[in-house]
Amino acid sequence: MPAHPRIPDPAAGPIAAFAFDLRRLGTGRPLIPFIAERGNVSRAALYAALSGKHVPSRATVGMLVRWWAGEPSAELTPDDDYFRDPDWGWIELLPQGHEGRTKGMEWWRRYDRLRREAEEGKAYREPAAPVNISVPQEQQRFIEGLEKLIESTGLKDDRWLLFGSFDRKVTRYLEGDLLPQEQSCQRIVMACCPHLGIDLSDDEDVEALELALSMERDLEKLVEEARAARARDRRAARGRTSE
């Protein structure tokens, strides 16, 4: 997508209106490249949240609101309460009376309403019967691609140096138990880049940014293919069960 997406028309629907107001919230505040350097959400995902084309992730919106309506230093750490919301728990770290507490809660509620509205059509569908399937070839290709990326960093046997506590999820990806969402793919690539000689700290280094984005897209494409294959195999398994 373009580095600076077109301003959405707030009359085009609730998603566009949300993105329009989110852009207004950021007027005069830290810019996207500055925020991306200091968080676990990529620059592309942050810009996409302002495009009004789809509902962004909780982590993406939570980070933008923290920087634009709250307090950047109010960031959860591994020592914080385990039960705090990882994307919006920063609100509780703000002192009583801080304007960001009120604004943060308003945006949190508005975002949750937006997600419910976007998913309303799915809410009344009967859940499909669970079935057991093997890891499809497409998912195996994703696993091999992830293994190759990790191995290229030279830290295959010390993955915790790459991912920290996130390595628990990476293990599940590699074992075929779970497929990552878009944000997790970005987090994986961002963790690997410094060990591949890719410096994302320089906003002027377009080549490094494009390389990182290309790696994210490659990984996300493998995930999309694996997800589609799992859905295909589940449908086939349910068909055999109903015979």
Side-chain angles (χ1 to χ4, degrees), residues 76-97:
L76 293 178
T77 70
D79 296 328
D80 284 312
D81 188 346
Y82 179 82
F83 295 101
R84 278 186 177 148
D85 186 284
D87 302 319
W88 296 90
W90 55 266
I91 296 173
E92 299 176 37
L93 302 181
L94 297 175
Q96 292 293 334

PDB file of all heavy atoms in Angstrom, residues 76-97:
ATOM      1  N   LEU A  76       3.249  -1.711  28.790  1.00  0.00           N
ATOM      2  CA  LEU A  76       3.349  -2.895  29.626  1.00  0.00           C
ATOM      3  C   LEU A  76       4.702  -3.564  29.460  1.00  0.00           C
ATOM      4  O   LEU A  76       5.267  -3.605  28.377  1.00  0.00           O
ATOM      5  CB  LEU A  76       2.244  -3.898  29.259  1.00  0.00           C
ATOM      6  CG  LEU A  76       0.806  -3.476  29.572  1.00  0.00           C
ATOM      7  CD1 LEU A  76      -0.161  -4.557  29.107  1.00  0.00           C
ATOM      8  CD2 LEU A  76       0.616  -3.232  31.052  1.00  0.00           C
ATOM      9  N   THR A  77       5.223  -4.093  30.545  1.00  0.00           N
ATOM     10  CA  THR A  77       6.480  -4.829  30.530  1.00  0.00           C
ATOM     11  C   THR A  77       6.210  -6.236  31.047  1.00  0.00           C
ATOM     12  O   THR A  77       5.148  -6.517  31.605  1.00  0.00           O
ATOM     13  CB  THR A  77       7.528  -4.148  31.431  1.00  0.00           C
ATOM     14  OG1 THR A  77       7.116  -4.313  32.807  1.00  0.00           O
ATOM     15  CG2 THR A  77       7.640  -2.663  31.116  1.00  0.00           C
ATOM     16  N   PRO A  78       7.167  -7.174  30.873  1.00  0.00           N
ATOM     17  CA  PRO A  78       6.968  -8.533  31.388  1.00  0.00           C
ATOM     18  C   PRO A  78       6.689  -8.585  32.883  1.00  0.00           C
ATOM     19  O   PRO A  78       6.124  -9.559  33.381  1.00  0.00           O
ATOM     20  CB  PRO A  78       8.288  -9.222  31.044  1.00  0.00           C
ATOM     21  CG  PRO A  78       8.785  -8.482  29.854  1.00  0.00           C
ATOM     22  CD  PRO A  78       8.404  -7.047  30.097  1.00  0.00           C
ATOM     23  N   ASP A  79       7.058  -7.534  33.620  1.00  0.00           N
ATOM     24  CA  ASP A  79       6.846  -7.523  35.067  1.00  0.00           C
ATOM     25  C   ASP A  79       5.454  -7.044  35.460  1.00  0.00           C
ATOM     26  O   ASP A  79       5.081  -7.110  36.631  1.00  0.00           O
ATOM     27  CB  ASP A  79       7.892  -6.620  35.749  1.00  0.00           C
ATOM     28  CG  ASP A  79       9.301  -7.160  35.563  1.00  0.00           C
ATOM     29  OD1 ASP A  79       9.450  -8.390  35.499  1.00  0.00           O
ATOM     30  OD2 ASP A  79      10.226  -6.352  35.471  1.00  0.00           O
ATOM     31  N   ASP A  80       4.691  -6.545  34.484  1.00  0.00           N
ATOM     32  CA  ASP A  80       3.354  -6.041  34.791  1.00  0.00           C
ATOM     33  C   ASP A  80       2.382  -7.194  35.000  1.00  0.00           C
ATOM     34  O   ASP A  80       2.669  -8.344  34.657  1.00  0.00           O
ATOM     35  CB  ASP A  80       2.854  -5.125  33.666  1.00  0.00           C
ATOM     36  CG  ASP A  80       3.513  -3.763  33.706  1.00  0.00           C
ATOM     37  OD1 ASP A  80       3.568  -3.169  34.787  1.00  0.00           O
ATOM     38  OD2 ASP A  80       4.004  -3.315  32.650  1.00  0.00           O
ATOM     39  N   ASP A  81       1.226  -6.860  35.534  1.00  0.00           N
ATOM     40  CA  ASP A  81       0.186  -7.840  35.840  1.00  0.00           C
ATOM     41  C   ASP A  81      -0.106  -8.701  34.610  1.00  0.00           C
ATOM     42  O   ASP A  81      -0.457  -8.201  33.546  1.00  0.00           O
ATOM     43  CB  ASP A  81      -1.079  -7.099  36.289  1.00  0.00           C
ATOM     44  CG  ASP A  81      -2.150  -8.052  36.806  1.00  0.00           C
ATOM     45  OD1 ASP A  81      -2.036  -9.270  36.582  1.00  0.00           O
ATOM     46  OD2 ASP A  81      -3.079  -7.566  37.447  1.00  0.00           O
ATOM     47  N   TYR A  82       0.006  -9.998  34.772  1.00  0.00           N
ATOM     48  CA  TYR A  82      -0.190 -10.950  33.678  1.00  0.00           C
ATOM     49  C   TYR A  82      -1.594 -10.856  33.103  1.00  0.00           C
ATOM     50  O   TYR A  82      -1.825 -11.130  31.921  1.00  0.00           O
ATOM     51  CB  TYR A  82       0.067 -12.369  34.189  1.00  0.00           C
ATOM     52  CG  TYR A  82      -0.132 -13.451  33.160  1.00  0.00           C
ATOM     53  CD1 TYR A  82       0.865 -13.749  32.253  1.00  0.00           C
ATOM     54  CD2 TYR A  82      -1.330 -14.169  33.104  1.00  0.00           C
ATOM     55  CE1 TYR A  82       0.684 -14.743  31.304  1.00  0.00           C
ATOM     56  CE2 TYR A  82      -1.517 -15.166  32.162  1.00  0.00           C
ATOM     57  CZ  TYR A  82      -0.508 -15.448  31.265  1.00  0.00           C
ATOM     58  OH  TYR A  82      -0.680 -16.427  30.320  1.00  0.00           O
ATOM     59  N   PHE A  83      -2.565 -10.464  33.931  1.00  0.00           N
ATOM     60  CA  PHE A  83      -3.952 -10.467  33.506  1.00  0.00           C
ATOM     61  C   PHE A  83      -4.365  -9.163  32.819  1.00  0.00           C
ATOM     62  O   PHE A  83      -5.505  -9.030  32.396  1.00  0.00           O
ATOM     63  CB  PHE A  83      -4.874 -10.735  34.706  1.00  0.00           C
ATOM     64  CG  PHE A  83      -4.672 -12.108  35.289  1.00  0.00           C
ATOM     65  CD1 PHE A  83      -3.924 -12.285  36.437  1.00  0.00           C
ATOM     66  CD2 PHE A  83      -5.214 -13.215  34.667  1.00  0.00           C
ATOM     67  CE1 PHE A  83      -3.733 -13.543  36.970  1.00  0.00           C
ATOM     68  CE2 PHE A  83      -5.018 -14.483  35.185  1.00  0.00           C
ATOM     69  CZ  PHE A  83      -4.279 -14.654  36.338  1.00  0.00           C
ATOM     70  N   ARG A  84      -3.476  -8.205  32.709  1.00  0.00           N
ATOM     71  CA  ARG A  84      -3.812  -6.968  32.017  1.00  0.00           C
ATOM     72  C   ARG A  84      -3.886  -7.223  30.513  1.00  0.00           C
ATOM     73  O   ARG A  84      -3.126  -8.003  29.968  1.00  0.00           O
ATOM     74  CB  ARG A  84      -2.776  -5.887  32.314  1.00  0.00           C
ATOM     75  CG  ARG A  84      -3.018  -5.186  33.645  1.00  0.00           C
ATOM     76  CD  ARG A  84      -2.078  -4.033  33.838  1.00  0.00           C
ATOM     77  NE  ARG A  84      -2.365  -3.329  35.075  1.00  0.00           N
ATOM     78  CZ  ARG A  84      -1.450  -2.722  35.811  1.00  0.00           C
ATOM     79  NH1 ARG A  84      -0.205  -2.748  35.443  1.00  0.00           N
ATOM     80  NH2 ARG A  84      -1.782  -2.102  36.916  1.00  0.00           N
ATOM     81  N   ASP A  85      -4.791  -6.508  29.861  1.00  0.00           N
ATOM     82  CA  ASP A  85      -4.923  -6.628  28.416  1.00  0.00           C
ATOM     83  C   ASP A  85      -3.611  -6.173  27.769  1.00  0.00           C
ATOM     84  O   ASP A  85      -3.144  -5.065  28.009  1.00  0.00           O
ATOM     85  CB  ASP A  85      -6.080  -5.750  27.926  1.00  0.00           C
ATOM     86  CG  ASP A  85      -6.351  -5.942  26.452  1.00  0.00           C
ATOM     87  OD1 ASP A  85      -5.569  -5.411  25.647  1.00  0.00           O
ATOM     88  OD2 ASP A  85      -7.326  -6.615  26.120  1.00  0.00           O
ATOM     89  N   PRO A  86      -2.997  -7.022  26.927  1.00  0.00           N
ATOM     90  CA  PRO A  86      -1.682  -6.677  26.372  1.00  0.00           C
ATOM     91  C   PRO A  86      -1.704  -5.477  25.432  1.00  0.00           C
ATOM     92  O   PRO A  86      -0.674  -4.842  25.226  1.00  0.00           O
ATOM     93  CB  PRO A  86      -1.275  -7.950  25.628  1.00  0.00           C
ATOM     94  CG  PRO A  86      -2.566  -8.647  25.331  1.00  0.00           C
ATOM     95  CD  PRO A  86      -3.462  -8.339  26.493  1.00  0.00           C
ATOM     96  N   ASP A  87      -2.876  -5.172  24.856  1.00  0.00           N
ATOM     97  CA  ASP A  87      -2.953  -4.081  23.884  1.00  0.00           C
ATOM     98  C   ASP A  87      -3.484  -2.781  24.477  1.00  0.00           C
ATOM     99  O   ASP A  87      -3.169  -1.696  23.985  1.00  0.00           O
ATOM    100  CB  ASP A  87      -3.844  -4.499  22.708  1.00  0.00           C
ATOM    101  CG  ASP A  87      -3.345  -5.759  22.020  1.00  0.00           C
ATOM    102  OD1 ASP A  87      -2.126  -5.876  21.854  1.00  0.00           O
ATOM    103  OD2 ASP A  87      -4.168  -6.625  21.678  1.00  0.00           O
ATOM    104  N   TRP A  88      -4.311  -2.882  25.520  1.00  0.00           N
ATOM    105  CA  TRP A  88      -4.933  -1.698  26.097  1.00  0.00           C
ATOM    106  C   TRP A  88      -4.662  -1.558  27.597  1.00  0.00           C
ATOM    107  O   TRP A  88      -5.129  -0.597  28.218  1.00  0.00           O
ATOM    108  CB  TRP A  88      -6.445  -1.730  25.865  1.00  0.00           C
ATOM    109  CG  TRP A  88      -6.822  -1.657  24.423  1.00  0.00           C
ATOM    110  CD1 TRP A  88      -6.992  -2.698  23.560  1.00  0.00           C
ATOM    111  CD2 TRP A  88      -7.056  -0.474  23.657  1.00  0.00           C
ATOM    112  NE1 TRP A  88      -7.334  -2.250  22.312  1.00  0.00           N
ATOM    113  CE2 TRP A  88      -7.387  -0.883  22.340  1.00  0.00           C
ATOM    114  CE3 TRP A  88      -7.052   0.890  23.965  1.00  0.00           C
ATOM    115  CZ2 TRP A  88      -7.676   0.024  21.325  1.00  0.00           C
ATOM    116  CZ3 TRP A  88      -7.346   1.798  22.949  1.00  0.00           C
ATOM    117  CH2 TRP A  88      -7.657   1.356  21.650  1.00  0.00           C
ATOM    118  N   GLY A  89      -3.914  -2.478  28.188  1.00  0.00           N
ATOM    119  CA  GLY A  89      -3.631  -2.415  29.617  1.00  0.00           C
ATOM    120  C   GLY A  89      -2.832  -1.199  30.030  1.00  0.00           C
ATOM    121  O   GLY A  89      -2.789  -0.858  31.219  1.00  0.00           O
ATOM    122  N   TRP A  90      -2.209  -0.520  29.054  1.00  0.00           N
ATOM    123  CA  TRP A  90      -1.441   0.691  29.369  1.00  0.00           C
ATOM    124  C   TRP A  90      -2.323   1.768  29.998  1.00  0.00           C
ATOM    125  O   TRP A  90      -1.815   2.640  30.714  1.00  0.00           O
ATOM    126  CB  TRP A  90      -0.775   1.246  28.114  1.00  0.00           C
ATOM    127  CG  TRP A  90      -1.700   1.514  26.966  1.00  0.00           C
ATOM    128  CD1 TRP A  90      -2.010   0.698  25.935  1.00  0.00           C
ATOM    129  CD2 TRP A  90      -2.472   2.720  26.743  1.00  0.00           C
ATOM    130  NE1 TRP A  90      -2.910   1.278  25.078  1.00  0.00           N
ATOM    131  CE2 TRP A  90      -3.206   2.524  25.546  1.00  0.00           C
ATOM    132  CE3 TRP A  90      -2.609   3.925  27.432  1.00  0.00           C
ATOM    133  CZ2 TRP A  90      -4.066   3.498  25.034  1.00  0.00           C
ATOM    134  CZ3 TRP A  90      -3.462   4.892  26.923  1.00  0.00           C
ATOM    135  CH2 TRP A  90      -4.174   4.676  25.735  1.00  0.00           C
ATOM    136  N   ILE A  91      -3.642   1.713  29.728  1.00  0.00           N
ATOM    137  CA  ILE A  91      -4.549   2.723  30.284  1.00  0.00           C
ATOM    138  C   ILE A  91      -4.479   2.719  31.804  1.00  0.00           C
ATOM    139  O   ILE A  91      -4.477   3.776  32.450  1.00  0.00           O
ATOM    140  CB  ILE A  91      -5.995   2.463  29.810  1.00  0.00           C
ATOM    141  CG1 ILE A  91      -6.087   2.631  28.288  1.00  0.00           C
ATOM    142  CG2 ILE A  91      -6.968   3.404  30.501  1.00  0.00           C
ATOM    143  CD1 ILE A  91      -7.435   2.237  27.707  1.00  0.00           C
ATOM    144  N   GLU A  92      -4.388   1.518  32.396  1.00  0.00           N
ATOM    145  CA  GLU A  92      -4.352   1.398  33.851  1.00  0.00           C
ATOM    146  C   GLU A  92      -3.040   1.897  34.444  1.00  0.00           C
ATOM    147  O   GLU A  92      -2.966   2.150  35.650  1.00  0.00           O
ATOM    148  CB  GLU A  92      -4.563  -0.059  34.249  1.00  0.00           C
ATOM    149  CG  GLU A  92      -5.908  -0.631  33.807  1.00  0.00           C
ATOM    150  CD  GLU A  92      -6.024  -2.100  34.142  1.00  0.00           C
ATOM    151  OE1 GLU A  92      -5.515  -2.500  35.206  1.00  0.00           O
ATOM    152  OE2 GLU A  92      -6.606  -2.839  33.344  1.00  0.00           O
ATOM    153  N   LEU A  93      -2.017   2.042  33.613  1.00  0.00           N
ATOM    154  CA  LEU A  93      -0.725   2.531  34.102  1.00  0.00           C
ATOM    155  C   LEU A  93      -0.693   4.050  34.224  1.00  0.00           C
ATOM    156  O   LEU A  93       0.201   4.597  34.870  1.00  0.00           O
ATOM    157  CB  LEU A  93       0.404   2.069  33.165  1.00  0.00           C
ATOM    158  CG  LEU A  93       0.541   0.555  32.956  1.00  0.00           C
ATOM    159  CD1 LEU A  93       1.711   0.273  32.021  1.00  0.00           C
ATOM    160  CD2 LEU A  93       0.733  -0.162  34.279  1.00  0.00           C
ATOM    161  N   LEU A  94      -1.667   4.716  33.609  1.00  0.00           N
ATOM    162  CA  LEU A  94      -1.706   6.177  33.674  1.00  0.00           C
ATOM    163  C   LEU A  94      -2.215   6.630  35.042  1.00  0.00           C
ATOM    164  O   LEU A  94      -3.071   5.971  35.638  1.00  0.00           O
ATOM    165  CB  LEU A  94      -2.620   6.727  32.581  1.00  0.00           C
ATOM    166  CG  LEU A  94      -2.196   6.445  31.133  1.00  0.00           C
ATOM    167  CD1 LEU A  94      -3.262   6.940  30.168  1.00  0.00           C
ATOM    168  CD2 LEU A  94      -0.854   7.101  30.831  1.00  0.00           C
ATOM    169  N   PRO A  95      -1.714   7.735  35.548  1.00  0.00           N
ATOM    170  CA  PRO A  95      -2.176   8.222  36.864  1.00  0.00           C
ATOM    171  C   PRO A  95      -3.638   8.645  36.816  1.00  0.00           C
ATOM    172  O   PRO A  95      -4.158   9.038  35.769  1.00  0.00           O
ATOM    173  CB  PRO A  95      -1.251   9.417  37.136  1.00  0.00           C
ATOM    174  CG  PRO A  95      -0.774   9.850  35.791  1.00  0.00           C
ATOM    175  CD  PRO A  95      -0.677   8.604  34.958  1.00  0.00           C
ATOM    176  N   GLN A  96      -4.306   8.549  37.948  1.00  0.00           N
ATOM    177  CA  GLN A  96      -5.692   8.995  38.042  1.00  0.00           C
ATOM    178  C   GLN A  96      -5.780  10.468  37.635  1.00  0.00           C
ATOM    179  O   GLN A  96      -4.948  11.279  38.023  1.00  0.00           O
ATOM    180  CB  GLN A  96      -6.209   8.813  39.472  1.00  0.00           C
ATOM    181  CG  GLN A  96      -6.367   7.362  39.903  1.00  0.00           C
ATOM    182  CD  GLN A  96      -7.467   6.651  39.135  1.00  0.00           C
ATOM    183  OE1 GLN A  96      -8.407   7.278  38.660  1.00  0.00           O
ATOM    184  NE2 GLN A  96      -7.352   5.332  39.027  1.00  0.00           N
ATOM    185  N   GLY A  97      -6.797  10.789  36.864  1.00  0.00           N
ATOM    186  CA  GLY A  97      -6.967  12.157  36.415  1.00  0.00           C
ATOM    187  C   GLY A  97      -6.290  12.444  35.088  1.00  0.00           C
ATOM    188  O   GLY A  97      -6.515  13.511  34.499  1.00  0.00           O
TER     189      GLY A  97
END
